[in-house]
Amino acid sequence: MSRPQPSVPFFRPSITQREIDEVVACLRSGWLTTGPRTKQFEESFAKAVGAKYAVAVNSCTAALHLAVEALELKAGQGVLIPTMTFAATAEIIRYQGAIPILVDCDPVTLNIDLQDAAVKLAAVRAGELPVAPDTPVVGIIPVHVGGAMVDMDLVEQFASAHGLWVVEDSAHALPAAFQTQAGTWKMSGHDTAAVTCFSFYANKTITTGEGGMAVTANADLANRMRSMSLHGLSNDAWKRFSGSGAWDYHILAPGYKYNLTDLASSLGIHQLDRAEELRAEREELAGRFLIDLNAIGQLELPPTHSDRLHAWHLFPIRLRCETLRICRNEFMEKMRERGVGNSVHWRPLHLHPYYANDFCWRPEHCPVATREWERLISLPLFPGMSELEYQHVVETVKLLCAEYHV
């Protein structure tokens, strides 16, 4: 009798008894919303990444929105962002009535291509993009795709040369670091941008279920983000959460409801303690994939660089489609039929209806991303993956490549 086929999810969170006990203790404390556990989480997180200030919020999207609002992004202004990113990086710009200017990706790393960013700036001024020629470009938001950091020294030099602020989308990059031009190592969030934003979604290295964090070295930005994360109330209003403040408060601006709860922070406190352990387990699995899939001619594997501490949020393979009798979508479907979860990161923004129809972005505006996304597949990669699950992923990919090769 044959053994039943394993079913491998795309991700599965790693939750220990410590997190469970903390959540139960929070429930029993009678204090569920933003309070002492969130404050503890913020302080611990700032220390962990080497930041001065940390503001806990209910998503990385919220963190990004608060960041650009605090930096006074105005309607009609432009912001350079990678087309190879999730919806949130662009939509927070639209929340402000500003214009996302889509930049192509590096063909190796898939991170933002700063050379193309310079081309896009010139093209805006020349009226060669679907953006008004007089659009003032004020910022840039790099994204660390899959957990491999962009060289933030180069981003800072580019931003300085063009008079731009930098907000860092580190949804994939905790913990992650890059080697600076001076030879030292710098973690994402350690003064790498005006504001750095992290995600604690369920499939990230550490999770609070839903959640995010904005970190900065600038007290004014931190205070503005904290106020705007809770309806634009005065900072004194936060003291009410500890029971030490007065009942009164002042509305300073029309803010948002972005605060993180103590219930979520209960998970985050202990997940943060395990962050490097969880990253190292992802790295070990990624290293095994790199060895076990290396000889398959139908695949290109993600690059590794000695000057990066990789978070390994994703393990994206690229199909050499000319060597296969099936396309990427069919390959993915056959993986799912055989019990292997998978995904694509991402359909580039310029190929989505909103940006194509409303802003007239076309495939030729970002040719590398247009080409590369059609052969991308993200394999399952998560701490706690069993040996049986791992072997099933590897064997499934090998068998499909063998079965459908040209």
Side-chain angles (χ1 to χ4, degrees), residues 127-394:
E128 297 169 353
L129 283 179
V131 178
D134 58 351
T135 299
V137 182
V138 297
I140 183 170
I141 306 180
V143 177
H144 308 304
V145 178
M149 284 191 70
V150 180
D151 187 325
M152 293 305 293
D153 278 354
L154 294 179
V155 172
E156 180 53 43
Q157 290 164 17
F158 177 89
S160 179
H162 296 284
L164 311 176
W165 47 250
V166 181
V167 169
E168 187 180 6
D169 184 337
S170 286
H172 291 186
L174 177 73
F178 76 105
Q179 193 170 24
T180 68
Q181 294 169 5
T184 58
W185 286 84
K186 185 178 280 191
M187 284 193 71
S188 178
H190 185 185
D191 203 20
T192 42
V195 183
T196 301
C197 303
F198 296 91
S199 172
F200 309 134
Y201 184 63
N203 65 347
K204 298 306 196 296
T205 305
I206 74 169
T207 185
T208 59
E210 297 275 3
M213 192 78 75
V215 303
T216 183
N218 185 302
D220 291 337
L221 290 177
N223 290 336
R224 177 68 178 186
M225 290 188 293
R226 189 175 301 284
S227 171
M228 293 298 284
S229 74
L230 192 70
H231 301 296
L233 304 185
S234 60
N235 288 337
D236 288 343
W238 286 86
K239 295 178 182 177
R240 295 180 301 141
F241 287 126
S242 66
S244 63
W247 65 268
D248 200 9
Y249 58 85
H250 299 92
I251 298 170
L252 304 179
Y256 314 100
K257 187 68 170 69
Y258 284 165
N259 57 301
L260 190 69
T261 67
D262 267 23
L263 200 56
S265 295
S266 298
L267 280 170
I269 289 166
H270 297 294
Q271 286 273 296
L272 182 62
D273 287 343
R274 301 171 57 215
E276 175 54 27
E277 167 198 329
L278 295 168
R279 188 208 65 82
E281 193 169 344
R282 287 176 179 266
E283 184 175 62
E284 181 182 0
L285 286 166
R288 292 184 65 188
F289 277 137
L290 289 168
I291 293 170
D292 292 339
L293 299 176
N294 183 55
I296 302 176
Q298 292 77 32
L299 303 181
E300 288 182 27
L301 303 181
T304 58
H305 301 281
S306 60
D307 59 354
R308 296 291 187 276
L309 179 72
H310 202 314
W312 287 111
H313 169 60
L314 299 174
F315 192 90
I317 61 173
R318 284 184 251 187
L319 301 183
R320 293 189 173 102
C321 296
E322 70 280 4
T323 69
L324 291 163
R325 291 183 286 108
I326 57 175
C327 69
R328 187 272 312 277
N329 291 359
E330 292 169 318
F331 197 102
M332 292 175 67
E333 186 54 38
K334 291 188 180 298
M335 287 179 68
R336 292 193 185 103
E337 289 172 0
R338 301 180 191 202
V340 177
N342 55 81
S343 190
V344 173
H345 295 84
W346 299 272
R347 176 190 291 270
L349 294 176
H350 70 284
L351 301 180
H352 282 279
Y354 176 66
Y355 296 99
N357 297 338
D358 289 39
F359 290 90
C360 299
W361 286 95
R362 297 289 177 258
E364 58 269 24
H365 288 133
C366 296
V368 177
T370 299
R371 179 186 72 231
E372 294 303 316
W373 94 274
E374 292 185 342
R375 58 197 197 100
L376 276 168
I377 304 175
S378 294
L379 299 185
L381 182 71
F382 52 85
M385 180 182 285
S386 71
E387 184 63 22
L388 182 63
E389 289 173 326
Y390 172 80
Q391 292 297 340
H392 184 58
V393 174
V394 170

